[in-house]
Amino acid sequence: MADTRTSPFAAYSVANLSQKAQVLFPGVAVSLLVAVAAKFLSEHYATPAMLMALLLGIAVHFLAEDEKCAPGIAFSARTVLRVGVAFLGARISIDLLVGLGGPLIALVIGGVLATIAFGLAVGRFFGHKWRFSLLTAGSVAICGASAAMAIGAILPRDERSEERLIFTVVGVTVLSTLAMILYPILAEMLNMNTTEAGVFIGGTIHDVAQVVGAGFSISVETGDTATLVKLIRVAMLAPVVLVASIAIRSMASATPGETRPPLLPFFVLAFLILAGLNSAHLIPAALAELLSQASRWLLLIAIAAVGMKTNLKQVLGVGAAAIALIVVETLFIGAFILLGIRLIT
């Protein structure tokens, strides 16, 4: 009798999930297709996968206006994004800090915090409010496009949220690509040793892929150090998003009509749990690698969906002041890390 009573509820739940899946499938499928195309182009033509996914997504912007694809694209741009950010935690471990040394770790963390503070302070001089300043400064300071999407997920939304996010992703990706070419040359001109060059590259370039490319173009030792330093910056994503969430929540409570965001977004909590489990060596290496690869794909799918939701004309309307702001923030973190290396070593 118990099974009979519960079976209608179970059937309803399964039917509900099936119906939702059918609604979301077309949009998720096209987002995945764009991500696969971007990955193919990235591997065959040496271009950043995130940038290619974004540009290809923008090229098929009309799909976001199709009633069949729109729900799945919106789901990919929001929920898939958050799961991808959460899975980044599997790449973080306390063991990463061993061997780098306290002063250099403090320099890297200080660079992240100083860049965010700098961006918030100077943003108003470029005509931008705190939302855009936090978005650009956080992405420059932490891990480029991934940080931009994570921070964008907790910011109060308005009619220009998508275009600001797209601009930031494009900006940090282009600047990362330029830095990948120029920073190894600069490191050689300044006669940096392998550790100094690794800290400089890992502490300043925005996206992980470009850090790896720049670091290993100098030497294996430099590449290893640069990757380590970059992952320390990635580890700062969770505390920065958490503190920002608390601040935004308090501001929303004081502003009539604004919805208060959750105190601890689920994807930040999942990020912290995975990082803690990985630090305690409770996640097998194979599973950690699987989650890391899944994170890359989920973020690629998400940024493709964000691109499809974006009107390019509106993005180009962000203006020269926005470009100047993100360039100044990039120059700031570069100068901060470079000066710190000279003082410490």
Side-chain angles (χ1 to χ4, degrees):
M1 293 295 292
D3 290 341
T4 304
R5 284 194 299 268
T6 56
S7 58
F9 176 75
Y12 174 77
S13 298
V14 171
N16 227 11
L17 290 174
S18 176
Q19 185 178 13
K20 285 186 178 180
Q22 290 177 11
V23 171
L24 295 176
F25 177 77
V28 174
V30 295
S31 300
L32 174 60
L33 183 61
V34 171
V36 170
K39 187 67 173 176
F40 176 85
L41 292 173
S42 171
E43 292 177 348
H44 288 77
Y45 297 98
T47 53
M50 283 282 193
L51 181 60
M52 293 309 302
L54 186 58
L55 294 178
L56 290 175
I58 292 173
V60 291
H61 164 68
F62 62 90
L63 290 173
E65 298 174 353
D66 182 272
E67 62 179 14
K68 291 184 178 179
C69 293
I73 291 173
F75 175 82
S76 298
R78 189 170 179 83
T79 304
V80 172
L81 159 66
R82 295 184 175 199
V83 176
V85 172
F87 283 179
L88 279 176
R91 303 176 65 182
I92 306 303
S93 171
I94 297 298
D95 294 341
L96 294 172
L97 306 180
V98 177
L100 191 60
L104 288 177
I105 293 172
L107 173 63
V108 174
I109 295 174
V112 170
L113 299 178
T115 302
I116 293 173
F118 174 80
L120 289 171
V122 304
R124 56 186 173 179
F125 296 107
F126 291 87
H128 291 285
K129 296 181 180 179
W130 68 269
R131 296 181 189 183
F132 185 70
S133 298
L134 177 61
L135 183 64
T136 56
S139 61
V140 167
I142 303 172
C143 53
S146 300
M149 291 189 287
I151 294 171
I154 64 165
L155 290 175
R157 302 184 69 80
D158 59 27
E159 67 280 358
R160 303 194 65 187
S161 294
E162 296 292 347
E163 65 188 71
R164 286 195 293 259
L165 177 59
I166 287 292
F167 169 82
T168 303
V169 170
V170 171
V172 294
T173 304
V174 170
L175 289 172
S176 286
T177 304
L178 291 174
M180 180 178 65
I181 298 168
L182 297 176
Y183 283 11
I185 299 172
L186 179 59
E188 184 177 350
M189 290 174 57
L190 296 175
N191 296 315
M192 292 183 180
N193 60 36
T194 55
T195 300
E196 292 172 341
V199 172
F200 173 63
I201 288 171
T204 56
I205 297 179
H206 310 325
D207 288 316
V208 176
Q210 281 85 336
V211 167
V212 172
F216 283 99
S217 70
I218 297 177
S219 69
V220 173
E221 294 80 5
T222 299
D224 288 340
T225 302
T227 304
L228 166 61
V229 170
K230 183 59 185 178
L231 289 179
I232 294 173
R233 290 169 67 194
V234 173
M236 292 293 293
L237 180 62
V240 167
V241 171
L242 174 58
V243 171
S245 296
I246 295 171
I248 293 168
R249 181 182 172 87
S250 64
M251 286 188 290
S253 64
T255 305
E258 280 202 6
T259 303
R260 298 176 70 186
L263 180 60
L264 184 62
F266 86 88
F267 67 94
V268 177
L269 179 60
F271 181 103
L272 292 172
I273 291 172
L274 287 174
L277 292 174
N278 197 40
S279 296
H281 304 288
L282 296 176
I283 300 180
L287 178 58
E289 178 60 25
L290 178 63
L291 291 173
S292 178
Q293 292 294 336
S295 172
R296 292 188 182 97
W297 273 105
L298 290 172
L299 291 175
L300 202 60
I301 293 168
I303 198 62
V306 170
M308 283 187 274
K309 290 183 66 181
T310 301
N311 187 316
L312 186 57
K313 290 182 179 179
Q314 292 177 342
V315 174
L316 296 176
V318 172
I323 298 173
L325 176 60
I326 201 167
V327 169
V328 167
E329 290 165 344
T330 299
L331 293 175
F332 175 85
I333 193 171
F336 185 96
I337 296 296
L338 187 58
L339 179 60
I341 291 172
R342 289 309 187 199
L343 292 175
I344 292 172
T345 58

